[in-house]
């Protein structure tokens, strides 16, 4: 299946989703939002996919959020005009779509406003040296709410408020983002996708089911108190014991061979 605003490729257990509107700085409109929802369903349902990479076309911008030109023209409905449960703009990321396969975000330039959703919900983040992170919601009279709330899971509160309230007057550099723990790797632009693919290849060697359940347990714990999170994680672990991969992993270790993992379709 082809997309208007995305590139979608699967190779060696890794799906690569590329936001492909470089002329609009990879800003998302309604069409891209709907295509992203479909792409994540493909990732979830494809047993050949173990993990995913998300990146943007070109080297200037990863994603600058919702396309303001479309909002001004009335061709895209703003976030506040729809219920959260039905709006395609709440289905942009793997987490939004309850996709528990690991996701690496390769940041190839500016990340602005709604583009921060992808960072807030990513498992691993690799950034090009020239990448920057900022939020312009208040600059154009909008509430900087959804993305900063997500970022409070990853950044100190003062840094989130600084980004939200300054409205883009100052930008967080890739190096600053790494120092704060928002980004795991900062690399030259030419090494961005190779590094993301290297990480994805290492992840894809492991049990798809164990990876997905590990991610699920960690992310869902953030919405719970400690005791509740431990209980919930224990339930996930118990469910996983019924899967063939724990026995296969132990058997392969004893037999000194590469495990033959069962494919996962969520």
């Amino acid at each position: 299946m082809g997309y208007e605003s995305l590139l979608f490729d699967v190779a060696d257990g890794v799906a690569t989703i590329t936001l492909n509107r470089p002329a609009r700085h990879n800003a998302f409109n309604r069409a891209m939002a709907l295509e992203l929802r479909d792409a994540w369903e493909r990732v979830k349902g494809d047993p050949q996919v173990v993990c995913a990479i998300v990146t943007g076309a070109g080297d200037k911008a990863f994603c600058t959020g919702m396309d303001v030109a479309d909002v001004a023209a009335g061709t895209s409905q703003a976030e506040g005009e729809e219920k959260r449960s039905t709006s395609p703009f709440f289905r942009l990321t793997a987490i939004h779509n309850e996709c528990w396969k690991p996701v690496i975000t390769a940041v190839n330039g500016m990340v602005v406003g709604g583009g921060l959703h992808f960072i807030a919900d990513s498992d691993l983040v690799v950034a090009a040296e020239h990448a920057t992170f900022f939020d312009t919601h208040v600059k154009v009279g909008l509430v900087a709410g959804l993305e900063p709330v997500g970022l409070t899971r990853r950044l100190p509160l003062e840094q989130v408020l600084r980004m939200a309230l300054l409205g883009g007057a100052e930008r967080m550099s890739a190096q600053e983002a790494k120092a704060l723990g928002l980004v795991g790797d900062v690399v030259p632009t030419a090494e961005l996708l190779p590094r993301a693919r290297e990480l994805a290849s290492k992840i894809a060697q492991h049990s798809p089911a164990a990876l997905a359940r590990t991610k699920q347990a960690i992310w869902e714990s953030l919405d719970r108190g400690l005791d509740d999170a431990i209980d919930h994680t224990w339930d996930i672990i118990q469910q996983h014991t019924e899967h063939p991969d724990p026995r296969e992993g132990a058997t392969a270790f004893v037999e000194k061979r590469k495990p033959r993992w069962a494919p996962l379709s969520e």
Side-chain angles (χ1 to χ4, degrees), residues 199-214:
L199 290 168
S201 177
K202 291 176 178 179
I203 290 171
Q205 296 177 31
H206 306 308
S207 161
L211 288 167
R213 299 293 81 79
T214 297

Side-chain angles (χ1 to χ4, degrees), residues 7-221:
L7 301 177
F8 188 94
D9 176 70
V10 176
D12 301 322
V14 180
T16 301
I17 301 171
T18 304
L19 311 181
N20 191 33
R21 300 184 75 221
R24 301 298 304 163
H25 292 163
N26 299 319
F28 52 80
N29 55 11
R30 179 170 298 275
M32 181 187 280
L34 291 170
E35 289 180 350
L36 280 164
R37 180 168 62 185
D38 184 81
W40 289 119
E41 289 301 318
R42 289 175 67 180
V43 170
K44 289 168 65 175
D46 188 344
Q48 300 303 313
V49 174
V50 181
C51 62
I53 295 171
V54 180
T55 192
D59 59 9
K60 186 168 185 179
F62 167 74
C63 178
T64 55
M66 184 179 286
D67 194 326
V68 177
D70 286 356
V71 176
T75 54
S76 271
Q77 198 168 1
E79 291 175 354
E81 295 174 352
E82 292 189 75
K83 293 181 179 179
R84 177 182 174 189
S85 60
T86 58
S87 171
F89 298 109
F90 286 97
R91 300 290 294 276
L92 301 173
T93 71
I95 296 294
H96 288 168
N97 289 274
E98 296 185 343
C99 175
W100 300 119
K101 296 181 179 181
V103 175
I104 299 166
T105 301
V107 184
N108 55 297
M110 294 185 295
V111 186
V112 188
L116 292 165
H117 280 301
F118 298 96
I119 309 303
D121 289 359
S122 186
D123 300 313
L124 304 181
V125 181
V126 182
E129 290 174 330
H130 69 289
T132 54
F133 305 81
F134 55 105
D135 192 338
T136 56
H137 275 90
V138 297
K139 182 178 181 179
V140 293
L142 299 174
V143 174
L146 300 175
E147 302 81 5
V149 167
L151 286 173
T152 58
R153 300 178 180 220
R154 309 185 72 113
L155 285 172
L157 181 59
E158 198 273 346
Q159 295 298 327
V160 176
L161 287 165
R162 178 180 290 266
M163 187 182 296
L165 300 179
L166 286 174
E170 294 183 6
R171 303 181 180 190
M172 181 183 293
S173 69
Q175 293 74 18
E176 289 170 331
K178 186 176 188 302
L180 291 166
L182 183 64
V183 166
D185 286 321
V186 176
V187 298
T189 303
E191 298 176 18
L192 179 65
L193 279 177
R195 176 56 176 158
R197 289 176 181 136
E198 177 187 8
L199 290 168
S201 177
K202 291 176 178 179
I203 290 171
Q205 296 177 31
H206 306 308
S207 161
L211 288 167
R213 299 293 81 79
T214 297
K215 171 176 174 172
Q216 180 185 6
I218 293 170
W219 277 98
E220 290 187 341
S221 75

